């Protein structure tokens, strides 16, 4: 799978577009970017491509969107290609023309979408408004998109967690995105995953290349619990800084309802730790199980995971109570 990046430099009321001089998309205006190389994080790939193509070193880069192109024709093959879209607001150096592209500053009020790929007029205005989202485009044989979906990313911050005394602005080189669920059934029982070391947690895991959050979430639920599920509501995100792994992680949480039972497809690691789904009768039992979890893990790591689960459960309780009793009664269910 080809994984790509696209960076839009922004200053004042202008953004930088790049005229492709060769290769796929020659003659079109695009963001500055290209393919991720083996061993690179998405952020590292984005920064490298900007430097290689226009000679600028970005110092402030914000990931805004994941755009998935499905059935895209590229070099005779039909591909599913994810593109990670960034906005850069601080950098060193001035954009220079290269063999690949010719940079052009354009006014935000006068972006020439007719000279860009047809999907740009759908996702780029959202990026420039500061929205964070996922987009899906499916293409025909002429590389024209014939289907589109825009999926907002939960932006409410439920918690910011860090190992030890890690400062919130510490630079970490790796970035991981996860999709996780608070899963209930039609009787509002709660599903947790339980291991042989007596750890109770919430189903979910990492988002793979080319996956949307929604796809990763439903896949992880099916793998870990053996159920198909539907999303009831987004809950928010939890940010974790883990210097021992040199990793910055964002977990996006959703309230979901289990529906049809399916065969579980547990990973080897999940089988090794004895991970199994368990249903708990109510919110209080679920919150207590998460709070008292006694999994044999490194103590600091356990504390971080436990804090993450409790923050997500507290928000799920608030949402469920609001849905049941209205906003006036929307305090946490465990109060």
């Amino acid at each position: 799978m080809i994984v790509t990046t696209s960076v839009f430099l922004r200053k004042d009321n202008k953004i930088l577009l790049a005229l492709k001089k060769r290769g796929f998309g020659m003659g079109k205006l695009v963001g500055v970017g290209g393919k991720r190389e083996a061993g690179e994080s998405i952020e590292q790939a984005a920064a490298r491509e900007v430097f290689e193509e226009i000679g600028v070193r970005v110092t402030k880069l914000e990931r805004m969107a994941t755009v998935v192109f499905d059935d895209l024709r590229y070099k005779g093959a039909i591909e599913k290609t994810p593109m990670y879209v960034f906005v850069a607001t601080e950098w060193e150096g001035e954009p220079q023309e290269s063999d690949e592209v010719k940079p052009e500053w354009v006014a935000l009020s006068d972006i020439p979408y007719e000279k860009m790929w047809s999907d740009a007029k759908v996702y780029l205005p959202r990026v420039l408004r500061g929205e964070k989202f996922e987009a899906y485009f499916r293409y025909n044989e002429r590389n024209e998109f014939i289907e589109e979906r825009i999926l907002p990313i939960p932006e409410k911050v439920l918690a910011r967690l860090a190992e030890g005394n890690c400062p919130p602005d510490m630079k970490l080189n790796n970035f991981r995105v996860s999709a996780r669920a608070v899963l209930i059934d039609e009787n509002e029982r709660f599903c947790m995953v339980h291991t042989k070391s007596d750890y109770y947690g919430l189903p979910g895991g990492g988002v793979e290349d080319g996956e949307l959050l929604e796809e990763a979430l439903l896949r992880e639920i099916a793998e870990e619990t053996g159920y198909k599920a539907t999303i009831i509501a987004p809950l928010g995100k939890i940010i974790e800084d883990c210097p021992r792994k040199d990793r910055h992680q964002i977990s996006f949480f959703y309230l979901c309802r289990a529906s049809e039972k399916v065969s579980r497809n547990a990973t080897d690691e999940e089988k090794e730790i004895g991970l199994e789904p368990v249903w708990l009768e109510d919110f209080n039992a679920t919150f207590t199980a998460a709070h008292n979890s006694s999994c044999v893990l490194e103590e600091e790591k356990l504390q971080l995971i436990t804090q993450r689960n409790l923050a997500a459960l507290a928000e799920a309780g608030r949402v469920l109570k609001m849905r049941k009793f209205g906003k006036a009664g929307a305090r946490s269910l465990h109060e």
Side-chain angles (χ1 to χ4, degrees), residues 286-299:
T286 306
F287 197 87
T288 299
H291 188 270
N292 295 337
S293 180
S294 58
C295 174
V296 182
L297 291 172
E298 298 173 60
E299 183 178 353

Side-chain angles (χ1 to χ4, degrees), residues 239-255:
I239 303 166
E240 299 168 65
D241 296 317
C242 308
R244 284 183 299 171
K245 291 187 175 181
D246 194 20
R247 187 172 75 189
H248 176 76
Q249 174 168 285
I250 298 182
S251 294
F252 293 96
F253 280 89
Y254 296 81
L255 179 63

Side-chain angles (χ1 to χ4, degrees), residues 31-212:
V32 181
K35 301 173 190 174
R36 184 183 69 180
E37 296 180 353
E40 285 185 315
S41 70
I42 298 298
E43 283 70 18
Q44 289 168 339
R48 175 186 53 77
E49 284 285 346
V50 170
F51 180 71
E52 289 179 355
E53 294 200 345
I54 62 171
V56 162
R57 293 190 185 276
V58 293
T59 55
K60 189 172 182 180
L61 193 63
E62 185 176 10
R63 189 192 295 199
M64 302 301 296
T66 302
V67 181
V68 173
F69 305 115
D70 205 358
D71 290 349
L72 189 67
R73 274 69 178 172
Y74 178 71
K75 293 185 177 180
I78 300 177
E79 300 279 355
K80 182 179 182 182
T81 303
M83 179 179 76
Y84 295 90
V85 182
F86 296 83
V87 169
T89 53
E90 295 179 11
W91 58 86
E92 297 173 353
E94 290 298 323
Q96 304 293 325
E97 185 173 353
S98 67
D99 293 341
E100 291 280 342
V101 298
K102 179 182 179 181
E104 300 180 12
W105 287 105
V106 300
L108 293 177
S109 60
D110 195 28
I111 296 174
Y113 289 110
E114 71 280 1
K115 297 180 181 179
M116 305 177 73
W117 287 102
S118 58
D119 47 69
K121 65 179 181 290
V122 177
Y123 76 80
L124 186 53
R126 289 177 166 84
V127 167
L128 298 176
R129 288 196 297 267
E131 297 178 22
K132 293 190 176 181
F133 60 94
E134 297 179 321
Y136 171 89
F137 296 98
R138 187 164 63 86
Y139 289 79
N140 62 18
E141 64 278 0
R142 296 184 299 277
N143 273 349
E144 301 166 337
F145 77 85
I146 55 176
E147 179 186 348
E148 65 175 271
R149 284 188 289 146
I150 301 293
L151 305 169
I153 293 176
E155 278 300 294
K156 181 176 182 179
V157 179
L158 304 179
R160 177 143 198 171
L161 309 173
E163 292 177 342
N165 297 318
C166 173
D169 57 349
M170 182 176 182
K171 181 174 176 56
L172 300 171
N173 292 312
N174 298 305
F175 188 85
R176 185 174 190 250
V177 176
S178 299
R180 305 183 188 278
V182 176
L183 182 65
I184 62 175
D185 65 9
E186 67 278 4
N187 298 314
E188 293 201 357
R189 295 187 305 160
F190 288 74
C191 185
M192 300 195 80
V193 290
H194 179 251
T195 70
K196 59 188 178 184
S197 57
D198 206 27
Y199 162 70
Y200 287 87
L202 298 173
V207 178
E208 298 175 357
D209 284 343
E211 278 190 317
L212 300 174

